[in-house]
Amino acid sequence: MLPRRLIQLYAGLTLYGVSMGLMLRADFGLEPWSVLNQGIARHTGLTIGTVTIVAGALILLLWIPLRQRPGLGTVSNVVILGLVMDGTLALVPELHALAPRIALLAFAVVLNGAATGLYISARFGPGPRDGLMTGLHLRTGRPVRLVRTCIEVTVLAAGFALGGSIGAGTVVYALAIGPMAQFFLRCFAIKGLPERPSPVVARGGAASPGRAILPE
C-alpha cells in the first residue's frame, strides 16, 4: 500500500495548494489561515506562498510543548502547499468578469475537498495547523470543535485586521468543505489500513464523520 499512500499524499498536497491559489484568483474571500497569510504577505512584501511556508514552520515549533510528533505528511505539507500556491498564482491570470470568478470559486472548493480526502486518507500525519489544534485539545481537554473554532476565529480576525480578504467565498468554503471532505474521505479511503479513531473528523471532541479537519 505504500506506493498508493505516497501518491495520495503528494497528489492531495499538490491539489490543495492549487485550490488555495484558485480561491485567491476567484477573489471572493479566503479560508481563515489564508486570510492571515495574505494579510502578513501584504505587510512584508513576501509572496503568500512563502508566508504559508514560514508560518507552517513556526507553528511546528508550537508542537514541542504540546508534545505532538510530525510525520512525513506534516513536513511535506509545510513545503509543498506554499510552493504550489505561488506556482498556481503565477500561471493563472487575474479574472475580472463575475461569472468566471464564481465558476472558479466553485471548482476551487470542490478541488479542495478532493485534495483533503486524498491527503488525509494517506495517513502520513496531520498538517501543522491540525497538529496545533489536536495538541491543544489533548492538553486542555476542550472539545476539538471548540478548539478549532477558537483558533480559526482568532486567525480570521487577525488576518482581516492585517488586510486579508474575507467575503462570500469564506462563507461558502466554511459551509461546503466539511460535507465535501467527508464525501471524498470515503472515496479515497485505503482498504486494509487498520481502523482507528482519528482527529481529522470530529464533533464535540469525539471522532465522528460530522466535520472534517483540513490538511492545514
Side-chain angles (χ1 to χ4, degrees), residues 77-118:
N77 179 295
V78 172
V79 178
I80 292 176
L81 292 191
L83 292 177
V84 174
M85 188 176 189
D86 276 349
T88 302
L89 292 173
L91 293 173
V92 179
E94 293 185 11
L95 301 177
H96 301 287
L98 182 61
R101 289 171 56 211
I102 292 174
L104 188 61
L105 173 65
F107 177 72
V109 174
V110 173
L111 185 64
N112 194 282
T116 298
L118 283 166

Side-chain angles (χ1 to χ4, degrees), residues 16-32 34-35 38 85 88-89 92 101 104-112 165 167-174 177:
Y16 199 96
V18 171
S19 71
M20 292 166 66
L22 295 180
M23 273 198 72
L24 198 152
R25 280 291 181 250
D27 196 23
F28 281 112
L30 305 171
E31 49 84 23
S34 290
V35 172
Q38 185 186 47
M85 188 176 189
T88 302
L89 292 173
V92 179
R101 289 171 56 211
L104 188 61
L105 173 65
F107 177 72
V109 174
V110 173
L111 185 64
N112 194 282
S165 300
T170 308
V171 178
V172 169
Y173 183 90
I177 195 60

